[in-house]
């Protein structure tokens, strides 16, 4: 952790906040995609209950709105 905290990055200081926000947004998108894959896999193997189906539909709608 110390090495990471003292790491000399290549992002100009005035762009650090934007880089941070972009990284967080990327991680959120990755998490959404992982959740979608998990629901689809479960749907194929054992099916989804109504709550899980609704959650999958919500995630798919969010994905579509982001595109």
């Amino acid at each position: 952790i110390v090495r990471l905290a003292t790491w000399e990055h290549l992002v100009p200081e005035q762009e650090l906040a934007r880089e941070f926000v972009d990284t967080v947004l990327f991680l959120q998108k990755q998490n959404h995609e992982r959740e979608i894959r998990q629901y689809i896999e479960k749907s194929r193997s054992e099916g989804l209950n109504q709550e899980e189906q609704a959650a999958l539909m919500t995630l798919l709608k969010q994905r579509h709105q982001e595109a």
Side-chain angles (χ1 to χ4, degrees):
I1 293 176
V2 171
R3 192 164 74 188
L4 181 60
T6 60
W7 175 54
E8 193 68 33
H9 52 80
L10 301 176
V11 178
E13 191 162 332
Q14 64 272 19
E15 295 178 27
L16 280 177
R18 181 77 234 160
E19 184 73 17
F20 176 77
V21 169
D22 287 346
T23 300
V24 170
L25 291 173
F26 173 78
L27 292 173
Q28 286 177 334
K29 185 176 180 178
Q30 293 294 93
N31 187 51
H32 276 123
E33 291 300 316
R34 181 188 53 77
E35 287 183 89
I36 289 169
R37 284 192 310 272
Q38 286 177 334
Y39 280 126
I40 291 172
E41 181 66 31
K42 184 175 181 188
S43 171
R44 290 179 179 153
S45 64
E46 60 189 88
L48 299 175
N49 63 36
Q50 287 182 341
E51 184 178 308
E52 293 166 329
Q53 288 174 359
L56 176 57
M57 292 306 295
T58 299
L59 289 168
L60 291 171
K61 286 178 185 176
Q62 288 172 349
R63 177 207 268 171
H64 180 70
Q65 291 172 348
E66 292 172 0

